[in-house]
Amino acid sequence: LLERIGAACIAAQAELDALDAKIGDGDTGTTLATAAHALLRDLDRLPLGDGAALCAAIADRLSTVMGGSSGILLSIFIAAMGARAGEPPQWPAALRAGADAVQRYGGAQEGDRTLLDALLPAIRALEEGQGLAAAAQAAREGASRTAAMTTAKAGRASYVRGDALRGVADPGAAAVAVILEALART
């Protein structure tokens, strides 16, 4: 799964950078691909048999290889997932804990034009037992909805004029959709 996610993030680099160039600094895809490359290089050193330990190790690596607030928030997300994962891992509950941590520390909510607009609908689909394909579809639909949002209340896009946001999906939300679509291809 980590290889599939990593490959998807690397493949989406140009697409995500192009989205981000329209409303941000143009590096969302590069930042995500850098993290994916680092995790794939370290794959044989990760504790793959323990969900909580794996999340802790990934969070640690992300905090060092990803720059800016996205790296910090993604590290917080993964660490909170690991703290809640349990044994055997209860992934919907772990994802919810991660999203709650992002909301608590980042201050964003669904509707603020962030990655949460894709992540939270996907989590709800999983909590309702709909499976990964439905979660991926919910994430993609959530990311697509951000293109109609002309006010961003958090993140770099909050400094961008509404007319520049119109028609451009949030790059973080699009990245969440890419990851969930990769997971759904299992």
Side-chain angles (χ1 to χ4, degrees):
L1 289 177
L2 289 175
E3 288 173 337
R4 184 174 297 145
I5 292 168
C9 290
I10 292 164
Q13 178 178 346
E15 170 194 345
L16 296 172
D17 280 348
L19 278 176
D20 195 28
K22 294 176 182 177
I23 61 168
D25 53 6
D27 70 347
T28 295
T30 299
T31 301
L32 196 58
T34 298
H37 281 294
L39 288 173
L40 292 174
R41 273 192 311 272
D42 289 348
L43 207 53
D44 62 338
R45 292 187 292 275
L46 294 174
L48 300 175
D50 182 336
L54 176 62
C55 287
I58 290 172
D60 181 59
R61 281 164 176 77
L62 294 181
S63 70
T64 60
V65 300
M66 288 183 80
S69 60
S70 62
I72 294 166
L73 288 173
L74 192 52
S75 181
I76 288 169
F77 173 74
I78 301 289
M81 277 181 57
R84 177 61 179 89
E87 213 40 62
Q90 302 297 314
W91 292 116
L95 287 166
R96 174 63 67 188
D100 289 348
V102 167
Q103 290 177 297
R104 186 170 50 256
Y105 290 105
Q109 304 295 318
E110 190 170 0
D112 286 350
R113 200 179 200 288
T114 69
L115 64 86
L116 293 169
D117 291 300
L119 182 59
L120 292 173
I123 292 170
R124 285 193 296 272
L126 291 171
E127 289 171 338
E128 294 167 3
Q130 296 179 33
L132 282 172
Q137 180 178 347
R140 181 54 66 190
E141 290 169 358
S144 295
R145 279 191 299 275
T146 63
M149 297 177 184
T150 57
T151 303
K153 298 177 184 156
R156 182 176 284 276
S158 65
Y159 302 103
V160 177
R161 293 182 337 267
D163 61 322
L165 295 174
R166 184 174 288 113
V168 180
D170 178 75
V176 168
V178 165
I179 291 167
L180 281 158
E181 288 164 348
L183 282 171
R185 286 192 298 269
T186 59

mmCIF file of all heavy atoms in Angstrom, residues 116-159:
data_model
loop_
_atom_site.group_PDB
_atom_site.id
_atom_site.type_symbol
_atom_site.label_atom_id
_atom_site.label_comp_id
_atom_site.label_asym_id
_atom_site.label_seq_id
_atom_site.Cartn_x
_atom_site.Cartn_y
_atom_site.Cartn_z
ATOM 1 N N LEU A 116 -9.202 19.178 4.166
ATOM 2 C CA LEU A 116 -10.314 18.625 4.949
ATOM 3 C C LEU A 116 -11.582 18.464 4.113
ATOM 4 O O LEU A 116 -12.417 17.616 4.417
ATOM 5 C CB LEU A 116 -10.597 19.496 6.167
ATOM 6 C CG LEU A 116 -9.492 19.503 7.224
ATOM 7 C CD1 LEU A 116 -9.757 20.598 8.250
ATOM 8 C CD2 LEU A 116 -9.359 18.148 7.874
ATOM 9 N N ASP A 117 -11.721 19.261 3.061
ATOM 10 C CA ASP A 117 -12.897 19.161 2.204
ATOM 11 C C ASP A 117 -12.929 17.858 1.412
ATOM 12 O O ASP A 117 -13.990 17.438 0.948
ATOM 13 C CB ASP A 117 -12.974 20.362 1.261
ATOM 14 C CG ASP A 117 -13.274 21.633 2.030
ATOM 15 O OD1 ASP A 117 -14.334 21.693 2.683
ATOM 16 O OD2 ASP A 117 -12.429 22.543 2.016
ATOM 17 N N ALA A 118 -11.797 17.205 1.269
ATOM 18 C CA ALA A 118 -11.743 15.868 0.664
ATOM 19 C C ALA A 118 -11.648 14.787 1.730
ATOM 20 O O ALA A 118 -12.267 13.730 1.621
ATOM 21 C CB ALA A 118 -10.550 15.771 -0.285
ATOM 22 N N LEU A 119 -10.875 15.056 2.773
ATOM 23 C CA LEU A 119 -10.619 14.048 3.798
ATOM 24 C C LEU A 119 -11.859 13.709 4.618
ATOM 25 O O LEU A 119 -12.163 12.529 4.840
ATOM 26 C CB LEU A 119 -9.496 14.534 4.724
ATOM 27 C CG LEU A 119 -9.068 13.588 5.835
ATOM 28 C CD1 LEU A 119 -8.574 12.267 5.270
ATOM 29 C CD2 LEU A 119 -8.002 14.249 6.698
ATOM 30 N N LEU A 120 -12.587 14.699 5.073
ATOM 31 C CA LEU A 120 -13.729 14.423 5.947
ATOM 32 C C LEU A 120 -14.854 13.650 5.251
ATOM 33 O O LEU A 120 -15.396 12.710 5.842
ATOM 34 C CB LEU A 120 -14.231 15.716 6.591
ATOM 35 C CG LEU A 120 -13.244 16.317 7.613
ATOM 36 C CD1 LEU A 120 -13.716 17.677 8.092
ATOM 37 C CD2 LEU A 120 -13.021 15.372 8.770
ATOM 38 N N PRO A 121 -15.207 13.972 4.002
ATOM 39 C CA PRO A 121 -16.214 13.121 3.328
ATOM 40 C C PRO A 121 -15.729 11.679 3.147
ATOM 41 O O PRO A 121 -16.526 10.735 3.257
ATOM 42 C CB PRO A 121 -16.422 13.806 1.975
ATOM 43 C CG PRO A 121 -16.004 15.218 2.184
ATOM 44 C CD PRO A 121 -14.890 15.164 3.202
ATOM 45 N N ALA A 122 -14.447 11.499 2.894
ATOM 46 C CA ALA A 122 -13.903 10.151 2.743
ATOM 47 C C ALA A 122 -13.994 9.387 4.060
ATOM 48 O O ALA A 122 -14.375 8.203 4.077
ATOM 49 C CB ALA A 122 -12.453 10.223 2.268
ATOM 50 N N ILE A 123 -13.663 10.050 5.153
ATOM 51 C CA ILE A 123 -13.752 9.407 6.468
ATOM 52 C C ILE A 123 -15.193 9.022 6.767
ATOM 53 O O ILE A 123 -15.463 7.908 7.246
ATOM 54 C CB ILE A 123 -13.172 10.315 7.567
ATOM 55 C CG1 ILE A 123 -11.658 10.464 7.387
ATOM 56 C CG2 ILE A 123 -13.498 9.779 8.959
ATOM 57 C CD1 ILE A 123 -11.025 11.526 8.268
ATOM 58 N N ARG A 124 -16.128 9.910 6.477
ATOM 59 C CA ARG A 124 -17.540 9.581 6.720
ATOM 60 C C ARG A 124 -17.959 8.348 5.931
ATOM 61 O O ARG A 124 -18.677 7.483 6.437
ATOM 62 C CB ARG A 124 -18.436 10.775 6.389
ATOM 63 C CG ARG A 124 -18.381 11.871 7.443
ATOM 64 C CD ARG A 124 -19.489 12.892 7.273
ATOM 65 N NE ARG A 124 -19.404 13.639 6.038
ATOM 66 C CZ ARG A 124 -18.702 14.762 5.873
ATOM 67 N NH1 ARG A 124 -18.011 15.285 6.884
ATOM 68 N NH2 ARG A 124 -18.692 15.379 4.709
ATOM 69 N N ALA A 125 -17.501 8.244 4.678
ATOM 70 C CA ALA A 125 -17.834 7.069 3.866
ATOM 71 C C ALA A 125 -17.287 5.801 4.514
ATOM 72 O O ALA A 125 -17.985 4.777 4.573
ATOM 73 C CB ALA A 125 -17.289 7.233 2.449
ATOM 74 N N LEU A 126 -16.069 5.858 5.024
ATOM 75 C CA LEU A 126 -15.486 4.693 5.692
ATOM 76 C C LEU A 126 -16.225 4.366 6.988
ATOM 77 O O LEU A 126 -16.478 3.189 7.282
ATOM 78 C CB LEU A 126 -14.004 4.928 5.973
ATOM 79 C CG LEU A 126 -13.101 4.959 4.748
ATOM 80 C CD1 LEU A 126 -11.695 5.412 5.133
ATOM 81 C CD2 LEU A 126 -13.079 3.606 4.054
ATOM 82 N N GLU A 127 -16.566 5.393 7.752
ATOM 83 C CA GLU A 127 -17.296 5.166 9.003
ATOM 84 C C GLU A 127 -18.659 4.540 8.756
ATOM 85 O O GLU A 127 -19.165 3.791 9.595
ATOM 86 C CB GLU A 127 -17.453 6.490 9.763
ATOM 87 C CG GLU A 127 -16.157 7.001 10.352
ATOM 88 C CD GLU A 127 -16.251 8.412 10.906
ATOM 89 O OE1 GLU A 127 -17.165 9.179 10.488
ATOM 90 O OE2 GLU A 127 -15.413 8.769 11.744
ATOM 91 N N GLU A 128 -19.253 4.830 7.614
ATOM 92 C CA GLU A 128 -20.551 4.258 7.250
ATOM 93 C C GLU A 128 -20.410 2.876 6.613
ATOM 94 O O GLU A 128 -21.404 2.290 6.187
ATOM 95 C CB GLU A 128 -21.278 5.209 6.301
ATOM 96 C CG GLU A 128 -21.658 6.536 6.956
ATOM 97 C CD GLU A 128 -22.100 7.593 5.948
ATOM 98 O OE1 GLU A 128 -22.179 7.298 4.729
ATOM 99 O OE2 GLU A 128 -22.354 8.729 6.393
ATOM 100 N N GLY A 129 -19.184 2.371 6.539
ATOM 101 C CA GLY A 129 -18.945 1.041 6.006
ATOM 102 C C GLY A 129 -19.003 0.939 4.498
ATOM 103 O O GLY A 129 -19.178 -0.151 3.951
ATOM 104 N N GLN A 130 -18.848 2.056 3.799
ATOM 105 C CA GLN A 130 -18.982 2.054 2.348
ATOM 106 C C GLN A 130 -17.748 1.551 1.607
ATOM 107 O O GLN A 130 -17.811 1.292 0.414
ATOM 108 C CB GLN A 130 -19.334 3.459 1.856
ATOM 109 C CG GLN A 130 -20.668 3.938 2.348
ATOM 110 C CD GLN A 130 -20.978 5.332 1.860
ATOM 111 O OE1 GLN A 130 -20.582 5.711 0.751
ATOM 112 N NE2 GLN A 130 -21.669 6.101 2.664
ATOM 113 N N GLY A 131 -16.615 1.431 2.272
ATOM 114 C CA GLY A 131 -15.413 0.899 1.642
ATOM 115 C C GLY A 131 -14.541 1.956 0.993
ATOM 116 O O GLY A 131 -14.903 3.134 0.893
ATOM 117 N N LEU A 132 -13.371 1.502 0.549
ATOM 118 C CA LEU A 132 -12.362 2.408 0.003
ATOM 119 C C LEU A 132 -12.781 3.068 -1.309
ATOM 120 O O LEU A 132 -12.456 4.223 -1.546
ATOM 121 C CB LEU A 132 -11.035 1.680 -0.184
ATOM 122 C CG LEU A 132 -10.211 1.480 1.077
ATOM 123 C CD1 LEU A 132 -9.021 0.578 0.806
ATOM 124 C CD2 LEU A 132 -9.750 2.827 1.621
ATOM 125 N N ALA A 133 -13.473 2.337 -2.166
ATOM 126 C CA ALA A 133 -13.886 2.933 -3.444
ATOM 127 C C ALA A 133 -14.824 4.109 -3.199
ATOM 128 O O ALA A 133 -14.682 5.174 -3.821
ATOM 129 C CB ALA A 133 -14.547 1.888 -4.335
ATOM 130 N N ALA A 134 -15.763 3.949 -2.296
ATOM 131 C CA ALA A 134 -16.686 5.048 -1.969
ATOM 132 C C ALA A 134 -15.941 6.188 -1.286
ATOM 133 O O ALA A 134 -16.236 7.362 -1.536
ATOM 134 C CB ALA A 134 -17.815 4.542 -1.081
ATOM 135 N N ALA A 135 -14.981 5.861 -0.441
ATOM 136 C CA ALA A 135 -14.190 6.902 0.232
ATOM 137 C C ALA A 135 -13.380 7.701 -0.789
ATOM 138 O O ALA A 135 -13.304 8.929 -0.709
ATOM 139 C CB ALA A 135 -13.272 6.286 1.279
ATOM 140 N N ALA A 136 -12.795 6.997 -1.756
ATOM 141 C CA ALA A 136 -12.030 7.683 -2.801
ATOM 142 C C ALA A 136 -12.938 8.586 -3.636
ATOM 143 O O ALA A 136 -12.573 9.718 -3.966
ATOM 144 C CB ALA A 136 -11.328 6.663 -3.695
ATOM 145 N N GLN A 137 -14.119 8.095 -3.956
ATOM 146 C CA GLN A 137 -15.068 8.908 -4.717
ATOM 147 C C GLN A 137 -15.495 10.128 -3.905
ATOM 148 O O GLN A 137 -15.577 11.239 -4.431
ATOM 149 C CB GLN A 137 -16.291 8.084 -5.106
ATOM 150 C CG GLN A 137 -17.303 8.879 -5.906
ATOM 151 C CD GLN A 137 -18.496 8.044 -6.333
ATOM 152 O OE1 GLN A 137 -18.498 6.826 -6.244
ATOM 153 N NE2 GLN A 137 -19.534 8.715 -6.800
ATOM 154 N N ALA A 138 -15.744 9.939 -2.613
ATOM 155 C CA ALA A 138 -16.131 11.066 -1.753
ATOM 156 C C ALA A 138 -15.006 12.091 -1.666
ATOM 157 O O ALA A 138 -15.261 13.301 -1.683
ATOM 158 C CB ALA A 138 -16.502 10.559 -0.361
ATOM 159 N N ALA A 139 -13.775 11.612 -1.614
ATOM 160 C CA ALA A 139 -12.626 12.526 -1.569
ATOM 161 C C ALA A 139 -12.517 13.309 -2.875
ATOM 162 O O ALA A 139 -12.309 14.529 -2.864
ATOM 163 C CB ALA A 139 -11.340 11.749 -1.300
ATOM 164 N N ARG A 140 -12.653 12.628 -3.994
ATOM 165 C CA ARG A 140 -12.553 13.312 -5.291
ATOM 166 C C ARG A 140 -13.685 14.339 -5.443
ATOM 167 O O ARG A 140 -13.466 15.457 -5.909
ATOM 168 C CB ARG A 140 -12.590 12.288 -6.424
ATOM 169 C CG ARG A 140 -12.477 12.870 -7.817
ATOM 170 C CD ARG A 140 -11.272 13.748 -8.041
ATOM 171 N NE ARG A 140 -10.022 13.011 -7.963
ATOM 172 C CZ ARG A 140 -8.826 13.590 -7.934
ATOM 173 N NH1 ARG A 140 -8.724 14.906 -7.991
ATOM 174 N NH2 ARG A 140 -7.734 12.869 -7.843
ATOM 175 N N GLU A 141 -14.894 13.970 -5.035
ATOM 176 C CA GLU A 141 -16.017 14.913 -5.109
ATOM 177 C C GLU A 141 -15.782 16.105 -4.186
ATOM 178 O O GLU A 141 -16.079 17.250 -4.547
ATOM 179 C CB GLU A 141 -17.323 14.207 -4.767
ATOM 180 C CG GLU A 141 -17.761 13.226 -5.842
ATOM 181 C CD GLU A 141 -18.906 12.326 -5.418
ATOM 182 O OE1 GLU A 141 -19.382 12.412 -4.256
ATOM 183 O OE2 GLU A 141 -19.332 11.506 -6.261
ATOM 184 N N GLY A 142 -15.253 15.848 -2.997
ATOM 185 C CA GLY A 142 -14.940 16.937 -2.071
ATOM 186 C C GLY A 142 -13.889 17.864 -2.640
ATOM 187 O O GLY A 142 -14.003 19.095 -2.541
ATOM 188 N N ALA A 143 -12.853 17.296 -3.238
ATOM 189 C CA ALA A 143 -11.810 18.114 -3.860
ATOM 190 C C ALA A 143 -12.394 18.937 -5.004
ATOM 191 O O ALA A 143 -12.084 20.131 -5.136
ATOM 192 C CB ALA A 143 -10.675 17.227 -4.363
ATOM 193 N N SER A 144 -13.254 18.320 -5.796
ATOM 194 C CA SER A 144 -13.886 19.044 -6.911
ATOM 195 C C SER A 144 -14.753 20.191 -6.412
ATOM 196 O O SER A 144 -14.790 21.264 -7.040
ATOM 197 C CB SER A 144 -14.718 18.091 -7.759
ATOM 198 O OG SER A 144 -13.888 17.137 -8.380
ATOM 199 N N ARG A 145 -15.434 19.998 -5.296
ATOM 200 C CA ARG A 145 -16.276 21.068 -4.747
ATOM 201 C C ARG A 145 -15.457 22.302 -4.365
ATOM 202 O O ARG A 145 -15.968 23.420 -4.397
ATOM 203 C CB ARG A 145 -17.065 20.575 -3.538
ATOM 204 C CG ARG A 145 -18.311 19.798 -3.886
ATOM 205 C CD ARG A 145 -19.220 19.559 -2.686
ATOM 206 N NE ARG A 145 -18.585 18.788 -1.639
ATOM 207 C CZ ARG A 145 -18.544 17.452 -1.596
ATOM 208 N NH1 ARG A 145 -19.107 16.746 -2.550
ATOM 209 N NH2 ARG A 145 -17.948 16.834 -0.594
ATOM 210 N N THR A 146 -14.194 22.107 -4.021
ATOM 211 C CA THR A 146 -13.393 23.271 -3.626
ATOM 212 C C THR A 146 -13.192 24.242 -4.783
ATOM 213 O O THR A 146 -12.953 25.425 -4.556
ATOM 214 C CB THR A 146 -12.012 22.864 -3.053
ATOM 215 O OG1 THR A 146 -11.244 22.207 -4.053
ATOM 216 C CG2 THR A 146 -12.168 21.981 -1.816
ATOM 217 N N ALA A 147 -13.311 23.767 -6.016
ATOM 218 C CA ALA A 147 -13.148 24.648 -7.176
ATOM 219 C C ALA A 147 -14.244 25.709 -7.242
ATOM 220 O O ALA A 147 -14.052 26.770 -7.845
ATOM 221 C CB ALA A 147 -13.128 23.832 -8.468
ATOM 222 N N ALA A 148 -15.377 25.446 -6.612
ATOM 223 C CA ALA A 148 -16.479 26.417 -6.601
ATOM 224 C C ALA A 148 -16.397 27.361 -5.398
ATOM 225 O O ALA A 148 -17.160 28.322 -5.312
ATOM 226 C CB ALA A 148 -17.818 25.697 -6.597
ATOM 227 N N MET A 149 -15.491 27.079 -4.481
ATOM 228 C CA MET A 149 -15.346 27.915 -3.276
ATOM 229 C C MET A 149 -14.463 29.115 -3.597
ATOM 230 O O MET A 149 -13.309 28.959 -3.977
ATOM 231 C CB MET A 149 -14.728 27.111 -2.132
ATOM 232 C CG MET A 149 -15.572 25.963 -1.674
ATOM 233 S SD MET A 149 -14.694 25.027 -0.386
ATOM 234 C CE MET A 149 -15.837 23.681 -0.130
ATOM 235 N N THR A 150 -15.011 30.292 -3.448
ATOM 236 C CA THR A 150 -14.253 31.500 -3.779
ATOM 237 C C THR A 150 -13.715 32.214 -2.543
ATOM 238 O O THR A 150 -13.162 33.291 -2.643
ATOM 239 C CB THR A 150 -15.111 32.473 -4.610
ATOM 240 O OG1 THR A 150 -16.299 32.773 -3.882
ATOM 241 C CG2 THR A 150 -15.456 31.870 -5.967
ATOM 242 N N THR A 151 -13.873 31.578 -1.408
ATOM 243 C CA THR A 151 -13.300 32.094 -0.168
ATOM 244 C C THR A 151 -12.591 30.956 0.539
ATOM 245 O O THR A 151 -13.202 29.929 0.818
ATOM 246 C CB THR A 151 -14.389 32.660 0.771
ATOM 247 O OG1 THR A 151 -15.110 33.675 0.077
ATOM 248 C CG2 THR A 151 -13.776 33.241 2.031
ATOM 249 N N ALA A 152 -11.313 31.167 0.793
ATOM 250 C CA ALA A 152 -10.548 30.201 1.572
ATOM 251 C C ALA A 152 -10.348 30.802 2.957
ATOM 252 O O ALA A 152 -9.940 31.951 3.087
ATOM 253 C CB ALA A 152 -9.204 29.933 0.906
ATOM 254 N N LYS A 153 -10.644 30.031 3.966
ATOM 255 C CA LYS A 153 -10.553 30.548 5.330
ATOM 256 C C LYS A 153 -9.306 30.069 6.056
ATOM 257 O O LYS A 153 -9.107 30.409 7.219
ATOM 258 C CB LYS A 153 -11.803 30.162 6.107
ATOM 259 C CG LYS A 153 -13.055 30.772 5.497
ATOM 260 C CD LYS A 153 -14.298 30.329 6.215
ATOM 261 C CE LYS A 153 -15.518 30.881 5.501
ATOM 262 N NZ LYS A 153 -16.701 30.109 5.753
ATOM 263 N N ALA A 154 -8.483 29.282 5.385
ATOM 264 C CA ALA A 154 -7.259 28.773 5.997
ATOM 265 C C ALA A 154 -6.252 28.489 4.898
ATOM 266 O O ALA A 154 -6.601 28.383 3.720
ATOM 267 C CB ALA A 154 -7.554 27.503 6.793
ATOM 268 N N GLY A 155 -5.004 28.362 5.272
ATOM 269 C CA GLY A 155 -3.954 28.028 4.319
ATOM 270 C C GLY A 155 -3.562 29.201 3.442
ATOM 271 O O GLY A 155 -4.079 30.311 3.555
ATOM 272 N N ARG A 156 -2.621 28.929 2.552
ATOM 273 C CA ARG A 156 -2.093 29.960 1.659
ATOM 274 C C ARG A 156 -3.183 30.566 0.782
ATOM 275 O O ARG A 156 -3.162 31.750 0.468
ATOM 276 C CB ARG A 156 -0.990 29.367 0.791
ATOM 277 C CG ARG A 156 -0.353 30.384 -0.131
ATOM 278 C CD ARG A 156 0.796 29.802 -0.896
ATOM 279 N NE ARG A 156 1.984 29.660 -0.097
ATOM 280 C CZ ARG A 156 2.864 30.646 0.114
ATOM 281 N NH1 ARG A 156 2.654 31.828 -0.391
ATOM 282 N NH2 ARG A 156 3.940 30.437 0.832
ATOM 283 N N ALA A 157 -4.159 29.764 0.381
ATOM 284 C CA ALA A 157 -5.221 30.258 -0.492
ATOM 285 C C ALA A 157 -6.069 31.331 0.183
ATOM 286 O O ALA A 157 -6.772 32.080 -0.494
ATOM 287 C CB ALA A 157 -6.102 29.115 -0.968
ATOM 288 N N SER A 158 -6.005 31.440 1.510
ATOM 289 C CA SER A 158 -6.786 32.478 2.197
ATOM 290 C C SER A 158 -6.287 33.875 1.864
ATOM 291 O O SER A 158 -6.975 34.859 2.129
ATOM 292 C CB SER A 158 -6.771 32.247 3.714
ATOM 293 O OG SER A 158 -5.465 32.402 4.231
ATOM 294 N N TYR A 159 -5.117 33.971 1.247
ATOM 295 C CA TYR A 159 -4.563 35.270 0.846
ATOM 296 C C TYR A 159 -4.816 35.581 -0.625
ATOM 297 O O TYR A 159 -4.365 36.595 -1.129
ATOM 298 C CB TYR A 159 -3.046 35.301 1.109
ATOM 299 C CG TYR A 159 -2.704 35.042 2.555
ATOM 300 C CD1 TYR A 159 -2.229 33.808 2.967
ATOM 301 C CD2 TYR A 159 -2.879 36.031 3.508
ATOM 302 C CE1 TYR A 159 -1.930 33.565 4.298
ATOM 303 C CE2 TYR A 159 -2.585 35.805 4.834
ATOM 304 C CZ TYR A 159 -2.110 34.570 5.219
ATOM 305 O OH TYR A 159 -1.813 34.333 6.540
#
